[in-house]
Amino acid sequence: EDQVTQSPEALRLQEGESSSLNCSYTVSGLRGLFWYRQDPGKGPEFLFTLYSAGEEKEKERLKATLTKKESFLHITAPKPEDSATYLCAVPRGFGNEKLTFGTGTRLTIIP
Amino acid sequence: GAGVSQSPSNKVTEKGKDVELRCDPISGHTALYWYRQSLGQGLEFLIYFQGNSAPDKSGLPSDRFSAERTGGSVSTLTIQRTQQEDSAVYLCASSFSAADSYEQYFGPGTRLTVT
């Protein structure tokens, strides 16, 4: 069964303190790995899709990378507005329509 | 443009009552998904609609759960004889097609509390 595990569960950083969030997965035949951001009381917001090991994508202070067993979301010089829960997900089944999500990392950036 | 909308935003119901949750997808999106998010757990896939095809109901946790999508647009998730374990945030998402389903746009969710 496909599994997605995220660590740490929670992370508190000072503003400007860079770090990384981890998403490890066990799937048979990875067809993509997706990162979402979720703010309290809101639905997840799509950030990135990664398809193959070695692939990297960037958006502002975020960079997502992918290996054969895990993905990292690197956050560089974070600001308080980057505080959110970050979710990763992998598709299961024959298409991308069923996503298996991790439980997320709750990131807090302290001014 | 308008995003995915859901109503109500909050619903408190008594155990044993039926509830209906509504989702309005983004105009032009042919794929619609329902997920459930419980405290401390990840999003759980419930059901998926693609155009006029029969829905994929493989994620529904019991036969008390059902969903329909009228006219390829608005969807309603119905929970019959609600139980306390049904308390969760129910999220709806839509996308242009199943092939692009990874870019799923989520609504704000309906927080269901069963007392």
Side-chain angles (χ1 to χ4, degrees), chain A residues 2-48:
Chain A
D2 298 344
Q3 287 194 336
V4 179
T5 303
Q6 292 188 246
S7 62
E9 289 186 9
L11 182 62
R12 291 170 63 88
L13 300 173
Q14 292 292 327
E15 183 173 0
E17 180 184 1
S18 302
S19 189
S20 297
L21 315 182
N22 177 265
C23 172
S24 62
Y25 58 90
T26 55
V27 297
S28 52
L30 184 69
R31 293 180 304 283
L33 185 139
F34 315 121
W35 282 98
Y36 285 82
R37 168 190 170 129
Q38 186 173 25
D39 292 296
K42 296 187 177 181
E45 173 190 351
F46 173 78
L47 292 174
F48 305 110

Side-chain angles (χ1 to χ4, degrees), chain A:
Chain A
E1 183 176 320
D2 298 344
Q3 287 194 336
V4 179
T5 303
Q6 292 188 246
S7 62
E9 289 186 9
L11 182 62
R12 291 170 63 88
L13 300 173
Q14 292 292 327
E15 183 173 0
E17 180 184 1
S18 302
S19 189
S20 297
L21 315 182
N22 177 265
C23 172
S24 62
Y25 58 90
T26 55
V27 297
S28 52
L30 184 69
R31 293 180 304 283
L33 185 139
F34 315 121
W35 282 98
Y36 285 82
R37 168 190 170 129
Q38 186 173 25
D39 292 296
K42 296 187 177 181
E45 173 190 351
F46 173 78
L47 292 174
F48 305 110
T49 307
L50 302 167
Y51 287 106
S52 57
E55 187 175 0
E56 298 183 353
K57 287 193 176 174
E58 291 187 60
K59 180 180 180 179
E60 296 182 355
R61 294 174 292 282
L62 299 176
K63 183 170 77 172
T65 62
L66 182 65
T67 72
K68 289 185 178 180
K69 292 185 177 182
E70 58 191 348
S71 177
F72 292 94
L73 185 65
H74 308 276
I75 182 161
T76 303
K79 298 181 178 181
E81 54 262 41
D82 295 321
S83 298
T85 295
Y86 291 85
L87 303 166
C88 68
V90 297
R92 54 189 172 99
F94 293 104
N96 288 336
E97 65 274 13
K98 302 176 189 178
L99 295 181
T100 297
F101 282 85
T103 54
T105 293
R106 188 173 67 255
L107 178 66
T108 303
I109 307 302
I110 304 163

Side-chain angles (χ1 to χ4, degrees), chain B residues 50-103:
Chain B
Q50 170 61 59
N52 295 320
S53 302
D56 180 342
K57 305 178 182 180
S58 60
L60 294 179
S62 78
D63 58 9
R64 296 185 296 104
F65 288 72
S66 64
E68 62 179 19
R69 189 179 184 191
T70 55
S73 182
V74 172
S75 176
T76 302
L77 178 69
T78 301
I79 308 173
Q80 297 178 311
R81 304 180 304 281
T82 52
Q83 303 295 312
Q84 289 186 332
E85 60 262 29
D86 299 334
S87 295
V89 176
Y90 289 81
L91 290 158
C92 174
S94 70
S95 68
F96 278 112
S97 72
D100 296 325
S101 63
Y102 53 85
E103 291 193 20

